[in-house]
Amino acid sequence: TYERLLIQHPGTARIQLELAALYFRLGAHAQARALFSAVSQREDTPDNVRLRVQGYLAQIDGQRRQRGGFSGRVSLGLRAESNANAAPDVGSIALNGLEFELAPEARASSDQSAQLSLGLRQRQPLGGSGHLLDMAFNAASSHSRTLDRLDNQMAEVRIGPDFSVDTALLRQGRWWTSAALAQSWLDGSRYQSSHGISSGLRWAVARQSAMQLGLDWRDESYTPEAQAASARAYSGQRWRSSAMFSRQAADNWQWMAGLVWEQRNAATRWDSYDEPRLQLGLSHRHAAWLGPRTHPWTSALSLQHAWRR
């Protein structure tokens, strides 16, 4: 019907947009991209329609990357903390009825730090069924302005298969499993090494909703310097399970909600814990505040509440 309307009224932006959306839902991404691009390039296209088009194009690009290819990401951030070393904010503490004065370096101290992270990813197709071999490298570094003994770095390598499981019960489903190897450093010295396995499943619940389940296991070994030897007690196994639901509420709005449960079984009992976490998020795609208006921005708000036992 839309194709016949477009023949009768060629160049009508709204018809092109609706026809492109139908092509997208059918998986005919080449035809959809051509029509979306035609709408986006029109000078009389309203900003809200242009943002909707950019959302569709982003999904097409994302699904194309799922079929294989290389991607990378670099992030830079700044952080200010009122208690950067997580220490008592008093001058002394009481032990067995006696007052002990804390050394200056053992008291709460505010500080600022710079964060830098790098992520590289290669997704290699395995045959023509949508299966992939997923390989990733992630690294991060934090440098404090004053408390340089808190400077830390991390590097991690992950590799594993990512299978397409598109069935009647799991529409557009993907199941992945990966092995991970990681190492971290604190104040220039090796601090912690870990290895483990992660697995997850994501599928479309409805046309605009998705569900994701995840399970991660790590065996962590702490190898600090002599002055931080007590950290060895943290060595042990860590489990993390998660369930996340996301929904496209409107053309340019998306919300998500999820529950994460983490458990650490440390070598020392009082360093072990259970921690359920509730997560909520909301994101909005809008016209760019700076730069080309054809490249929309996304503003996001995330909330998290955790209970540690």
Side-chain angles (χ1 to χ4, degrees):
T1 301
Y2 279 127
E3 287 174 340
R4 291 198 299 270
L5 284 172
L6 196 57
I7 293 174
Q8 296 172 8
H9 307 281
T12 305
R14 183 56 186 268
I15 299 176
Q16 290 177 319
L17 178 63
E18 297 300 336
L19 180 58
L22 289 177
Y23 274 134
F24 173 83
R25 291 168 191 156
L26 289 171
H29 291 165
Q31 295 92 324
R33 174 180 285 279
L35 288 168
F36 281 136
S37 298
V39 174
S40 181
Q41 292 170 5
R42 294 172 62 101
E43 295 183 358
D44 58 346
T45 299
D47 286 343
N48 63 329
V49 175
R50 199 180 302 277
L51 287 172
R52 183 181 176 190
V53 167
Q54 291 296 330
Y56 275 114
L57 291 175
Q59 290 188 55
I60 292 175
D61 291 339
Q63 292 186 21
R64 185 174 59 187
R65 284 195 297 270
Q66 284 188 351
R67 293 194 293 270
F70 175 81
S71 61
R73 177 175 181 174
V74 176
S75 297
L76 177 65
L78 301 174
R79 181 167 62 189
E81 298 176 275
S82 61
N83 189 354
N85 54 345
D89 57 355
V90 293
S92 63
I93 59 173
L95 293 176
N96 297 324
L98 299 177
E99 290 288 326
F100 290 86
E101 184 177 354
L102 293 174
E105 63 270 16
R107 301 177 186 176
S109 178
S110 61
D111 202 3
Q112 300 81 44
S113 60
Q115 325 287 324
L116 176 66
S117 65
L118 169 69
L120 303 175
R121 192 177 188 184
Q122 174 68 35
R123 294 168 66 82
Q124 187 66 34
L126 298 175
S129 302
H131 306 322
L132 301 165
L133 178 63
D134 197 353
M135 299 169 284
F137 171 77
N138 295 291
S141 177
S142 176
H143 178 70
S144 301
R145 185 175 66 88
T146 304
L147 302 173
D148 52 7
R149 66 181 184 276
L150 299 181
D151 292 354
N152 59 85
Q153 298 79 37
M154 180 279 296
E156 179 187 66
V157 177
R158 304 175 70 98
I159 183 170
D162 184 340
F163 297 111
S164 173
V165 287
D166 197 353
T167 66
L169 297 178
L170 297 173
R171 295 192 308 113
Q172 301 175 26
R174 299 204 69 87
W175 171 58
W176 62 91
T177 300
S178 63
L181 186 65
Q183 175 68 54
S184 65
W185 296 263
L186 179 65
D187 195 17
S189 300
R190 289 167 60 94
Y191 183 67
Q192 185 227 64
S193 60
S194 67
H195 62 273
I197 298 176
S198 299
S199 187
L201 177 64
R202 178 182 173 88
W203 71 96
V205 179
R207 194 173 68 186
Q208 294 180 312
S209 303
M211 188 74 189
Q212 180 170 312
L213 304 177
L215 181 64
D216 182 83
W217 167 80
R218 294 296 178 98
D219 186 12
E220 300 174 336
S221 176
Y222 284 79
T223 56
E225 292 293 287
Q227 63 270 25
S230 61
R232 296 180 184 274
Y234 288 114
S235 297
Q237 296 186 357
R238 184 197 301 268
W239 294 84
R240 181 185 292 115
S241 56
S242 62
M244 297 289 176
F245 177 82
S246 61
R247 179 168 178 80
Q248 193 75 23
D251 287 343
N252 299 303
W253 289 90
Q254 185 180 56
W255 63 269
M256 63 80 65
L259 182 65
V260 179
W261 190 289
E262 183 173 298
Q263 181 182 42
R264 171 191 275 169
N265 300 317
T268 306
R269 181 175 176 81
W270 55 77
D271 289 322
S272 302
Y273 63 79
D274 292 307
E275 184 181 290
R277 294 198 297 268
L278 176 65
Q279 297 180 350
L280 301 172
L282 179 69
S283 65
H284 177 52
R285 187 193 305 269
H286 53 83
W289 294 339
L290 299 172
R293 295 183 65 82
T294 56
H295 293 77
W297 286 20
T298 298
S299 298
L301 174 67
S302 60
L303 304 173
Q304 177 176 280
H305 191 79
W307 300 265
R308 177 172 291 188
R309 180 173 61 89

